Short mmCIF file of all heavy atoms in Angstrom, two decimals:
data_model
loop_
_atom_site.label_atom_id
_atom_site.label_comp_id
_atom_site.label_asym_id
_atom_site.label_seq_id
_atom_site.Cartn_x
_atom_site.Cartn_y
_atom_site.Cartn_z
N MET F 1201 26.26 70.18 55.65
CA MET F 1201 24.97 69.85 54.91
C MET F 1201 24.30 68.54 55.53
O MET F 1201 25.09 67.60 55.77
CB MET F 1201 25.31 69.49 53.52
CG MET F 1201 24.21 69.07 52.68
SD MET F 1201 24.72 68.85 50.92
CE MET F 1201 23.77 67.56 50.43
N SER F 1202 23.09 68.63 55.73
CA SER F 1202 22.37 67.50 56.33
C SER F 1202 21.36 67.13 55.33
O SER F 1202 20.70 67.82 54.70
CB SER F 1202 21.80 67.86 57.67
OG SER F 1202 20.81 68.72 57.56
N LEU F 1203 21.14 65.71 55.34
CA LEU F 1203 20.04 65.20 54.50
C LEU F 1203 18.70 65.00 55.27
O LEU F 1203 18.87 64.67 56.44
CB LEU F 1203 20.48 63.77 53.98
CG LEU F 1203 21.74 63.80 53.10
CD1 LEU F 1203 22.12 62.36 52.87
CD2 LEU F 1203 21.49 64.49 51.85
N SER F 1204 17.68 65.34 54.53
CA SER F 1204 16.33 65.11 55.16
C SER F 1204 16.12 63.59 55.35
O SER F 1204 16.70 62.76 54.53
CB SER F 1204 15.15 65.64 54.42
OG SER F 1204 15.10 64.93 53.22
N PRO F 1205 15.30 63.06 56.35
CA PRO F 1205 15.18 61.67 56.54
C PRO F 1205 14.54 61.04 55.30
O PRO F 1205 14.97 59.89 54.98
CB PRO F 1205 14.20 61.67 57.64
CG PRO F 1205 14.33 62.91 58.34
CD PRO F 1205 14.69 63.93 57.35
N SER F 1206 13.75 61.68 54.49
CA SER F 1206 13.11 60.91 53.30
C SER F 1206 14.25 60.75 52.28
O SER F 1206 14.19 59.75 51.65
CB SER F 1206 11.85 61.66 52.78
OG SER F 1206 12.24 62.92 52.48
N LEU F 1207 15.01 61.87 51.94
CA LEU F 1207 16.14 61.72 51.10
C LEU F 1207 17.15 60.67 51.52
O LEU F 1207 17.64 59.85 50.67
CB LEU F 1207 16.81 63.10 50.90
CG LEU F 1207 17.95 63.17 49.91
CD1 LEU F 1207 17.48 62.76 48.48
CD2 LEU F 1207 18.47 64.55 49.95
N TYR F 1208 17.42 60.62 52.72
CA TYR F 1208 18.50 59.65 53.24
C TYR F 1208 17.89 58.27 53.11
O TYR F 1208 18.64 57.33 52.70
CB TYR F 1208 18.83 60.00 54.67
CG TYR F 1208 19.79 59.17 55.32
CD1 TYR F 1208 21.06 59.31 54.82
CD2 TYR F 1208 19.65 58.21 56.29
CE1 TYR F 1208 22.21 58.53 55.49
CE2 TYR F 1208 20.60 57.42 56.77
CZ TYR F 1208 21.84 57.56 56.48
OH TYR F 1208 22.78 56.85 56.96
N ALA F 1209 16.64 58.09 53.42
CA ALA F 1209 16.08 56.70 53.22
C ALA F 1209 16.10 56.27 51.69
O ALA F 1209 16.31 55.15 51.39
CB ALA F 1209 14.56 56.72 53.61
N GLY F 1210 15.91 57.21 50.89
CA GLY F 1210 15.95 56.78 49.39
C GLY F 1210 17.30 56.53 48.92
O GLY F 1210 17.47 55.75 48.04
N LEU F 1211 18.28 57.04 49.64
CA LEU F 1211 19.77 56.61 49.25
C LEU F 1211 19.99 55.22 49.70
O LEU F 1211 20.80 54.42 49.06
CB LEU F 1211 20.70 57.67 49.89
CG LEU F 1211 20.71 58.91 49.42
CD1 LEU F 1211 21.64 59.92 50.27
CD2 LEU F 1211 21.08 59.01 47.89
N LEU F 1212 19.32 54.78 50.87
CA LEU F 1212 19.69 53.37 51.35
C LEU F 1212 18.78 52.46 50.77
O LEU F 1212 19.05 51.20 50.69
CB LEU F 1212 19.35 53.40 52.92
CG LEU F 1212 20.36 54.30 53.66
CD1 LEU F 1212 19.96 54.24 55.12
CD2 LEU F 1212 21.75 53.72 53.45
N ASP F 1213 17.62 52.90 50.24
CA ASP F 1213 16.58 52.00 49.59
C ASP F 1213 16.08 52.59 48.26
O ASP F 1213 14.99 53.18 48.25
CB ASP F 1213 15.42 51.92 50.56
CG ASP F 1213 14.35 50.95 50.11
OD1 ASP F 1213 14.70 50.03 49.30
OD2 ASP F 1213 13.17 51.09 50.50
N PRO F 1214 16.95 52.53 47.22
CA PRO F 1214 16.45 53.07 45.96
C PRO F 1214 15.35 52.32 45.44
O PRO F 1214 15.23 51.09 45.64
CB PRO F 1214 17.70 53.00 45.19
CG PRO F 1214 18.45 51.86 45.78
CD PRO F 1214 18.24 51.91 47.16
N PRO F 1215 14.57 52.94 44.47
CA PRO F 1215 13.42 52.20 43.85
C PRO F 1215 14.01 51.19 42.94
O PRO F 1215 15.06 51.31 42.36
CB PRO F 1215 12.79 53.34 42.99
CG PRO F 1215 13.74 54.57 42.84
CD PRO F 1215 14.65 54.26 44.14
N VAL F 1216 13.26 50.06 42.75
CA VAL F 1216 13.59 48.98 41.85
C VAL F 1216 12.97 49.28 40.43
O VAL F 1216 13.53 48.78 39.40
CB VAL F 1216 13.24 47.59 42.29
CG1 VAL F 1216 14.08 47.16 43.63
CG2 VAL F 1216 11.81 47.51 42.60
N ILE F 1217 11.94 50.13 40.45
CA ILE F 1217 11.42 50.46 39.14
C ILE F 1217 11.09 52.04 39.29
O ILE F 1217 10.49 52.57 40.31
CB ILE F 1217 10.01 49.78 38.90
CG1 ILE F 1217 10.25 48.33 38.60
CG2 ILE F 1217 9.36 50.39 37.59
CD1 ILE F 1217 9.05 47.49 38.70
N SER F 1218 11.44 52.76 38.35
CA SER F 1218 11.14 54.15 38.30
C SER F 1218 10.64 54.66 36.98
O SER F 1218 11.34 54.32 35.92
CB SER F 1218 12.39 54.96 38.72
OG SER F 1218 12.08 56.36 38.86
N TYR F 1219 9.64 55.35 36.92
CA TYR F 1219 9.03 55.89 35.54
C TYR F 1219 8.72 57.26 35.67
O TYR F 1219 8.01 57.66 36.62
CB TYR F 1219 7.89 54.99 35.14
CG TYR F 1219 7.27 55.48 33.79
CD1 TYR F 1219 7.96 55.13 32.61
CD2 TYR F 1219 6.11 56.25 33.76
CE1 TYR F 1219 7.38 55.59 31.39
CE2 TYR F 1219 5.69 56.73 32.48
CZ TYR F 1219 6.23 56.32 31.38
OH TYR F 1219 5.84 56.77 30.20
N SER F 1220 9.22 58.13 34.84
CA SER F 1220 8.81 59.59 34.97
C SER F 1220 8.48 60.11 33.47
O SER F 1220 9.01 59.61 32.46
CB SER F 1220 10.00 60.34 35.55
OG SER F 1220 11.17 60.38 34.75
N VAL F 1221 7.74 61.07 33.59
CA VAL F 1221 7.23 61.83 32.32
C VAL F 1221 7.52 63.42 32.68
O VAL F 1221 6.82 63.79 33.70
CB VAL F 1221 5.85 61.62 31.83
CG1 VAL F 1221 5.56 62.55 30.79
CG2 VAL F 1221 5.76 60.18 31.38
N ILE F 1222 8.34 64.08 31.92
CA ILE F 1222 8.59 65.39 32.21
C ILE F 1222 8.56 66.07 30.66
O ILE F 1222 9.59 65.77 29.99
CB ILE F 1222 9.82 65.75 32.91
CG1 ILE F 1222 9.81 65.06 34.33
CG2 ILE F 1222 10.06 67.16 32.97
CD1 ILE F 1222 11.15 65.08 34.97
N ASP F 1223 7.48 66.80 30.41
CA ASP F 1223 7.54 67.45 29.11
C ASP F 1223 6.85 68.82 29.24
O ASP F 1223 6.58 69.22 30.40
CB ASP F 1223 6.98 66.60 28.00
CG ASP F 1223 5.36 66.35 28.28
OD1 ASP F 1223 4.72 67.05 28.92
OD2 ASP F 1223 4.95 65.25 27.77
N CYS F 1224 6.58 69.51 28.23
CA CYS F 1224 5.99 70.82 28.29
C CYS F 1224 4.61 70.96 28.80
O CYS F 1224 4.12 71.86 29.35
CB CYS F 1224 5.98 71.47 26.85
SG CYS F 1224 7.63 71.65 26.12
N GLU F 1225 3.86 69.77 28.74
CA GLU F 1225 2.50 69.72 29.16
C GLU F 1225 2.23 69.01 30.52
O GLU F 1225 1.19 69.32 31.22
CB GLU F 1225 1.70 69.03 28.02
CG GLU F 1225 1.61 69.63 26.82
CD GLU F 1225 0.92 69.01 25.71
OE1 GLU F 1225 0.10 68.00 25.98
OE2 GLU F 1225 0.97 69.37 24.58
N LYS F 1226 3.02 68.15 30.85
CA LYS F 1226 2.79 67.32 32.08
C LYS F 1226 4.02 66.79 32.78
O LYS F 1226 5.06 66.68 32.07
CB LYS F 1226 1.73 66.19 31.92
CG LYS F 1226 2.26 65.29 31.00
CD LYS F 1226 1.12 64.13 30.71
CE LYS F 1226 1.58 63.24 29.46
NZ LYS F 1226 1.26 63.77 28.14
N SER F 1227 3.90 66.55 34.06
CA SER F 1227 5.07 65.89 34.72
C SER F 1227 4.60 65.06 35.73
O SER F 1227 3.65 65.38 36.63
CB SER F 1227 5.99 66.82 35.27
OG SER F 1227 5.47 67.70 36.30
N TYR F 1228 5.15 63.75 35.84
CA TYR F 1228 4.81 62.91 36.97
C TYR F 1228 5.90 61.81 37.10
O TYR F 1228 6.68 61.65 36.25
CB TYR F 1228 3.36 62.22 36.90
CG TYR F 1228 3.31 61.36 35.69
CD1 TYR F 1228 3.64 59.95 35.78
CD2 TYR F 1228 2.88 61.83 34.43
CE1 TYR F 1228 3.45 59.13 34.55
CE2 TYR F 1228 2.63 60.99 33.38
CZ TYR F 1228 2.98 59.68 33.56
OH TYR F 1228 2.83 58.84 32.38
N LEU F 1229 6.13 61.31 38.31
CA LEU F 1229 7.06 60.26 38.72
C LEU F 1229 6.40 59.23 39.46
O LEU F 1229 5.51 59.42 40.43
CB LEU F 1229 8.08 60.84 39.55
CG LEU F 1229 9.08 60.00 40.16
CD1 LEU F 1229 10.07 59.25 39.14
CD2 LEU F 1229 9.95 60.70 41.18
N VAL F 1230 6.58 57.88 39.12
CA VAL F 1230 6.07 56.76 39.80
C VAL F 1230 7.29 55.85 40.18
O VAL F 1230 8.10 55.53 39.31
CB VAL F 1230 5.10 55.80 38.91
CG1 VAL F 1230 4.70 54.61 39.67
CG2 VAL F 1230 3.90 56.74 38.56
N GLN F 1231 7.38 55.47 41.44
CA GLN F 1231 8.50 54.69 41.82
C GLN F 1231 8.07 53.49 42.61
O GLN F 1231 7.15 53.58 43.50
CB GLN F 1231 9.55 55.50 42.80
CG GLN F 1231 10.16 56.54 42.07
CD GLN F 1231 11.15 57.32 42.84
OE1 GLN F 1231 10.71 57.84 43.98
NE2 GLN F 1231 12.38 57.59 42.40
N VAL F 1232 8.51 52.36 42.33
CA VAL F 1232 8.19 51.14 43.11
C VAL F 1232 9.46 50.59 43.84
O VAL F 1232 10.52 50.49 43.26
CB VAL F 1232 7.69 49.98 42.11
CG1 VAL F 1232 7.32 48.84 42.89
CG2 VAL F 1232 6.55 50.52 41.34
N PHE F 1233 9.34 50.31 45.09
CA PHE F 1233 10.38 49.88 45.95
C PHE F 1233 10.34 48.31 46.16
O PHE F 1233 9.19 47.79 46.21
CB PHE F 1233 10.41 50.73 47.26
CG PHE F 1233 10.81 52.10 47.01
CD1 PHE F 1233 9.68 52.94 46.70
CD2 PHE F 1233 11.95 52.59 47.27
CE1 PHE F 1233 9.99 54.28 46.48
CE2 PHE F 1233 12.25 53.98 46.95
CZ PHE F 1233 11.15 54.90 46.62
N LYS F 1234 11.43 47.75 46.48
CA LYS F 1234 11.37 46.28 46.76
C LYS F 1234 10.43 45.90 47.85
O LYS F 1234 9.91 44.78 47.80
CB LYS F 1234 12.89 45.91 47.18
CG LYS F 1234 13.13 44.53 47.25
CD LYS F 1234 14.70 44.21 47.45
CE LYS F 1234 14.95 42.81 47.51
NZ LYS F 1234 16.35 42.54 47.71
N ASP F 1235 10.22 46.70 48.92
CA ASP F 1235 9.28 46.30 50.00
C ASP F 1235 7.85 46.45 49.63
O ASP F 1235 6.93 46.17 50.52
CB ASP F 1235 9.60 47.08 51.24
CG ASP F 1235 9.32 48.50 51.17
OD1 ASP F 1235 8.93 49.10 50.11
OD2 ASP F 1235 9.62 49.29 52.22
N GLY F 1236 7.58 46.94 48.39
CA GLY F 1236 6.22 46.95 48.02
C GLY F 1236 5.61 48.51 48.05
O GLY F 1236 4.46 48.63 47.57
N ARG F 1237 6.41 49.38 48.56
CA ARG F 1237 5.93 50.81 48.54
C ARG F 1237 5.84 51.25 47.02
O ARG F 1237 6.61 50.94 46.26
CB ARG F 1237 6.82 51.75 49.25
CG ARG F 1237 6.90 51.65 50.80
CD ARG F 1237 7.78 52.62 51.36
NE ARG F 1237 9.18 52.08 51.18
CZ ARG F 1237 10.03 52.94 50.74
NH1 ARG F 1237 9.95 54.16 50.43
NH2 ARG F 1237 11.36 52.43 50.44
N VAL F 1238 4.86 51.98 46.78
CA VAL F 1238 4.64 52.75 45.49
C VAL F 1238 4.47 54.18 45.84
O VAL F 1238 3.68 54.54 46.63
CB VAL F 1238 3.44 52.11 44.70
CG1 VAL F 1238 3.30 52.97 43.38
CG2 VAL F 1238 3.64 50.68 44.56
N GLU F 1239 5.38 55.03 45.19
CA GLU F 1239 5.18 56.41 45.34
C GLU F 1239 4.94 57.20 44.12
O GLU F 1239 5.56 56.78 43.05
CB GLU F 1239 6.53 56.98 46.14
CG GLU F 1239 6.71 56.52 47.48
CD GLU F 1239 7.93 56.98 48.15
OE1 GLU F 1239 8.70 57.94 47.65
OE2 GLU F 1239 8.10 56.65 49.31
N TYR F 1240 4.01 58.08 44.14
CA TYR F 1240 3.63 58.95 43.04
C TYR F 1240 3.86 60.41 43.18
O TYR F 1240 3.40 60.90 44.44
CB TYR F 1240 2.29 58.55 42.64
CG TYR F 1240 1.63 59.47 41.66
CD1 TYR F 1240 1.77 59.30 40.24
CD2 TYR F 1240 0.95 60.63 41.92
CE1 TYR F 1240 1.16 60.09 39.33
CE2 TYR F 1240 0.39 61.52 41.02
CZ TYR F 1240 0.47 61.27 39.63
OH TYR F 1240 0.00 62.09 38.80
N ARG F 1241 4.44 61.14 42.34
CA ARG F 1241 4.51 62.59 42.54
C ARG F 1241 3.95 63.15 41.23
O ARG F 1241 4.57 63.00 40.17
CB ARG F 1241 5.98 63.01 42.72
CG ARG F 1241 6.45 62.55 44.07
CD ARG F 1241 7.79 63.22 44.30
NE ARG F 1241 8.33 62.85 45.67
CZ ARG F 1241 9.17 61.92 45.94
NH1 ARG F 1241 9.57 61.14 44.88
NH2 ARG F 1241 9.43 61.49 47.13
N GLY F 1242 2.84 63.83 41.27
CA GLY F 1242 2.39 64.57 40.16
C GLY F 1242 2.46 65.97 40.18
O GLY F 1242 2.29 66.61 41.17
N GLY F 1243 2.99 66.44 39.02
CA GLY F 1243 3.28 67.85 38.92
C GLY F 1243 2.14 68.56 38.00
O GLY F 1243 0.96 68.13 38.07
N GLU F 1244 2.58 69.52 37.23
CA GLU F 1244 1.67 70.30 36.54
C GLU F 1244 1.10 69.44 35.33
O GLU F 1244 1.84 68.60 34.77
CB GLU F 1244 2.36 71.51 35.82
CG GLU F 1244 2.83 72.54 36.86
CD GLU F 1244 1.71 73.20 37.69
OE1 GLU F 1244 0.58 73.47 36.96
OE2 GLU F 1244 1.84 73.32 38.94
N GLY F 1245 -0.11 69.64 34.97
CA GLY F 1245 -0.62 69.02 33.80
C GLY F 1245 -1.30 67.60 33.94
O GLY F 1245 -1.71 67.02 32.94
N VAL F 1246 -1.13 67.21 35.20
CA VAL F 1246 -1.84 65.84 35.45
C VAL F 1246 -3.02 65.99 36.32
O VAL F 1246 -3.15 66.93 37.13
CB VAL F 1246 -0.86 64.81 36.11
CG1 VAL F 1246 0.32 64.47 35.11
CG2 VAL F 1246 -0.31 65.43 37.37
N THR F 1247 -3.93 65.04 36.20
CA THR F 1247 -5.12 65.06 37.05
C THR F 1247 -5.02 65.02 38.56
O THR F 1247 -5.55 65.79 39.28
CB THR F 1247 -6.26 64.01 36.64
OG1 THR F 1247 -6.43 64.10 35.22
CG2 THR F 1247 -7.49 64.06 37.41
N ILE F 1248 -4.10 64.14 38.92
CA ILE F 1248 -3.78 64.00 40.37
C ILE F 1248 -2.41 64.62 40.71
O ILE F 1248 -1.39 64.02 40.23
CB ILE F 1248 -3.77 62.51 40.69
CG1 ILE F 1248 -5.18 61.93 40.51
CG2 ILE F 1248 -3.49 62.25 42.19
CD1 ILE F 1248 -5.36 60.43 40.61
N GLN F 1249 -2.33 65.66 41.40
CA GLN F 1249 -1.07 66.33 41.69
C GLN F 1249 -0.65 66.09 43.16
O GLN F 1249 -1.43 65.66 43.95
CB GLN F 1249 -1.28 67.84 41.45
CG GLN F 1249 -1.53 68.24 40.04
CD GLN F 1249 -1.58 69.69 39.83
OE1 GLN F 1249 -1.82 70.47 40.77
NE2 GLN F 1249 -1.44 70.13 38.56
N GLY F 1250 0.62 66.21 43.35
CA GLY F 1250 1.04 66.10 44.83
C GLY F 1250 1.80 64.77 44.91
O GLY F 1250 1.77 63.89 44.07
N LYS F 1251 2.08 64.52 46.16
CA LYS F 1251 2.81 63.19 46.48
C LYS F 1251 1.74 62.31 47.09
O LYS F 1251 0.92 62.66 47.97
CB LYS F 1251 3.83 63.38 47.69
CG LYS F 1251 4.64 62.18 47.94
CD LYS F 1251 5.74 62.47 48.96
CE LYS F 1251 6.48 61.20 49.17
NZ LYS F 1251 7.51 61.46 50.24
N HIS F 1252 1.75 61.01 46.57
CA HIS F 1252 0.79 60.01 47.08
C HIS F 1252 1.45 58.69 47.11
O HIS F 1252 2.60 58.41 46.35
CB HIS F 1252 -0.41 59.83 46.12
CG HIS F 1252 -1.20 61.11 46.00
ND1 HIS F 1252 -2.23 61.38 46.68
CD2 HIS F 1252 -1.11 62.09 45.02
CE1 HIS F 1252 -2.65 62.62 46.26
NE2 HIS F 1252 -1.92 63.05 45.24
N SER F 1253 1.04 57.77 48.03
CA SER F 1253 1.83 56.51 48.21
C SER F 1253 0.67 55.43 48.54
O SER F 1253 -0.33 55.71 48.86
CB SER F 1253 2.85 56.62 49.38
OG SER F 1253 2.15 56.85 50.58
N SER F 1254 1.26 54.31 48.09
CA SER F 1254 0.42 53.07 48.24
C SER F 1254 1.38 51.83 48.48
O SER F 1254 2.55 51.94 48.56
CB SER F 1254 -0.54 52.80 47.11
OG SER F 1254 -1.46 51.79 47.37
N ARG F 1255 0.71 50.67 48.47
CA ARG F 1255 1.57 49.35 48.71
C ARG F 1255 0.99 48.41 47.74
O ARG F 1255 -0.11 48.26 47.46
CB ARG F 1255 1.54 48.87 50.15
CG ARG F 1255 2.23 49.69 51.08
CD ARG F 1255 2.70 48.83 52.23
NE ARG F 1255 3.71 49.50 53.10
CZ ARG F 1255 5.00 49.41 52.82
NH1 ARG F 1255 5.42 48.61 51.92
NH2 ARG F 1255 5.87 50.05 53.57
N ILE F 1256 1.95 47.48 47.22
CA ILE F 1256 1.65 46.26 46.57
C ILE F 1256 2.45 45.26 47.22
O ILE F 1256 3.30 45.39 47.89
CB ILE F 1256 1.93 46.46 45.06
CG1 ILE F 1256 3.35 46.76 44.82
CG2 ILE F 1256 1.08 47.44 44.31
CD1 ILE F 1256 3.80 46.82 43.39
N SER F 1257 2.02 43.97 46.88
CA SER F 1257 2.71 42.85 47.49
C SER F 1257 4.16 42.72 46.89
O SER F 1257 4.36 43.11 45.81
CB SER F 1257 1.87 41.47 47.24
OG SER F 1257 2.06 41.09 45.90
N GLN F 1258 4.99 42.11 47.72
CA GLN F 1258 6.30 41.80 47.16
C GLN F 1258 6.32 40.82 45.98
O GLN F 1258 7.32 40.94 45.10
CB GLN F 1258 7.24 41.31 48.26
CG GLN F 1258 7.55 42.43 49.36
CD GLN F 1258 8.42 41.96 50.44
OE1 GLN F 1258 8.47 40.85 50.80
NE2 GLN F 1258 9.26 42.90 50.93
N ASP F 1259 5.33 39.95 45.99
CA ASP F 1259 5.17 39.05 44.79
C ASP F 1259 4.93 39.93 43.54
O ASP F 1259 5.38 39.65 42.44
CB ASP F 1259 4.03 37.99 45.05
CG ASP F 1259 4.39 36.94 45.99
OD1 ASP F 1259 5.65 36.82 46.24
OD2 ASP F 1259 3.56 36.46 46.49
N THR F 1260 4.05 40.96 43.72
CA THR F 1260 3.78 41.77 42.51
C THR F 1260 4.90 42.51 42.23
O THR F 1260 5.19 42.73 40.92
CB THR F 1260 2.51 42.79 42.86
OG1 THR F 1260 1.40 41.99 43.32
CG2 THR F 1260 2.19 43.63 41.79
N VAL F 1261 5.73 43.03 43.10
CA VAL F 1261 7.04 43.73 42.77
C VAL F 1261 7.85 42.91 41.94
O VAL F 1261 8.41 43.21 40.97
CB VAL F 1261 7.79 44.24 44.05
CG1 VAL F 1261 9.13 44.80 43.69
CG2 VAL F 1261 6.90 45.22 44.70
N ALA F 1262 7.96 41.60 42.31
CA ALA F 1262 8.99 40.70 41.65
C ALA F 1262 8.30 40.33 40.28
O ALA F 1262 9.03 40.44 39.41
CB ALA F 1262 8.96 39.33 42.40
N ALA F 1263 7.08 40.34 40.08
CA ALA F 1263 6.40 40.04 38.75
C ALA F 1263 6.68 41.20 37.85
O ALA F 1263 6.93 41.19 36.65
CB ALA F 1263 4.93 39.74 38.91
N LEU F 1264 6.54 42.45 38.42
CA LEU F 1264 6.75 43.65 37.67
C LEU F 1264 8.21 43.76 37.21
O LEU F 1264 8.57 44.12 35.99
CB LEU F 1264 6.39 44.92 38.45
CG LEU F 1264 4.96 45.23 38.68
CD1 LEU F 1264 4.77 46.37 39.57
CD2 LEU F 1264 4.34 45.67 37.33
N MET F 1265 9.11 43.47 38.12
CA MET F 1265 10.52 43.46 37.82
C MET F 1265 10.85 42.48 36.62
O MET F 1265 11.59 42.76 35.72
CB MET F 1265 11.49 43.10 39.01
CG MET F 1265 11.38 44.29 40.01
SD MET F 1265 12.35 43.94 41.44
CE MET F 1265 13.90 43.75 40.81
N LYS F 1266 10.17 41.23 36.80
CA LYS F 1266 10.52 40.17 35.75
C LYS F 1266 9.87 40.70 34.31
O LYS F 1266 10.50 40.59 33.32
CB LYS F 1266 9.77 39.04 36.18
CG LYS F 1266 10.09 37.83 35.23
CD LYS F 1266 9.33 36.59 35.61
CE LYS F 1266 10.40 35.70 36.32
NZ LYS F 1266 9.89 34.38 36.60
N SER F 1267 8.70 41.42 34.37
CA SER F 1267 8.10 41.74 33.09
C SER F 1267 8.92 43.01 32.49
O SER F 1267 9.05 43.06 31.28
CB SER F 1267 6.65 42.15 33.36
OG SER F 1267 6.56 43.32 34.04
N PHE F 1268 9.44 43.89 33.34
CA PHE F 1268 10.33 44.85 32.78
C PHE F 1268 11.58 44.53 32.30
O PHE F 1268 12.25 45.03 31.43
CB PHE F 1268 10.49 46.02 33.76
CG PHE F 1268 9.16 46.98 33.89
CD1 PHE F 1268 8.45 46.90 34.99
CD2 PHE F 1268 8.89 47.69 32.90
CE1 PHE F 1268 7.22 47.69 35.08
CE2 PHE F 1268 7.71 48.63 32.92
CZ PHE F 1268 6.99 48.63 34.08
N SER F 1269 12.20 43.38 32.88
CA SER F 1269 13.46 42.89 32.34
C SER F 1269 13.38 42.08 31.14
O SER F 1269 14.50 41.86 30.51
CB SER F 1269 14.02 42.03 33.55
OG SER F 1269 13.42 40.69 33.62
N GLY F 1270 12.22 41.74 30.64
CA GLY F 1270 12.06 41.03 29.51
C GLY F 1270 12.17 39.47 29.63
O GLY F 1270 12.27 38.76 28.69
N THR F 1271 12.29 39.05 30.88
CA THR F 1271 12.48 37.60 31.16
C THR F 1271 11.08 37.00 30.93
O THR F 1271 10.11 37.43 31.38
CB THR F 1271 12.94 37.45 32.73
OG1 THR F 1271 14.17 38.11 32.94
CG2 THR F 1271 13.10 36.01 32.92
N LYS F 1272 11.10 35.84 30.20
CA LYS F 1272 9.94 35.06 29.90
C LYS F 1272 9.80 33.97 31.04
O LYS F 1272 10.79 33.34 31.37
CB LYS F 1272 10.05 34.47 28.56
CG LYS F 1272 10.27 35.47 27.53
CD LYS F 1272 9.35 35.42 26.35
CE LYS F 1272 9.72 36.34 25.31
NZ LYS F 1272 8.63 37.21 24.92
N THR F 1273 8.60 33.69 31.33
CA THR F 1273 8.34 32.48 32.36
C THR F 1273 8.08 31.30 31.60
O THR F 1273 7.81 31.19 30.42
CB THR F 1273 7.14 32.86 33.21
OG1 THR F 1273 6.00 33.19 32.36
CG2 THR F 1273 7.45 34.12 34.05
#
């Protein structure tokens, strides 16, 4: 068995934030990585379908992680 390059990269660099919705009407996944990559996968029932990616600053990633962890500044 061989792993595809994108799957293998995901094993070495897991997302630091991952949010998904999967229900009867819609499905999507948003993942944020430490290096600032943001990946979105939209399935059925959402306006934007397919795989899309973007970038945010590492400072923004750190701020998001802090806000999701419940740490107060």
Side-chain angles (χ1 to χ4, degrees):
M1201 176 177 149
S1202 65
L1203 296 173
S1204 70
S1206 61
L1207 178 60
Y1208 186 67
L1211 294 173
L1212 295 176
D1213 183 24
V1216 293
I1217 298 171
S1218 185
Y1219 180 79
S1220 63
V1221 171
I1222 301 172
D1223 63 26
C1224 297
E1225 297 178 11
K1226 62 186 170 273
S1227 64
Y1228 61 91
L1229 168 68
V1230 178
Q1231 295 179 309
V1232 179
F1233 295 82
K1234 190 175 181 179
D1235 66 358
R1237 284 179 295 129
V1238 179
E1239 295 184 0
Y1240 168 86
R1241 289 187 182 99
E1244 297 297 320
V1246 295
T1247 303
I1248 301 173
Q1249 295 182 339
K1251 184 177 178 183
H1252 302 273
S1253 61
S1254 189
R1255 287 203 167 272
I1256 58 176
S1257 72
Q1258 289 181 331
D1259 289 341
T1260 302
V1261 173
L1264 284 169
M1265 290 175 62
K1266 185 181 260 189
S1267 70
F1268 281 110
S1269 72
T1271 304
K1272 306 227 184 233
T1273 56

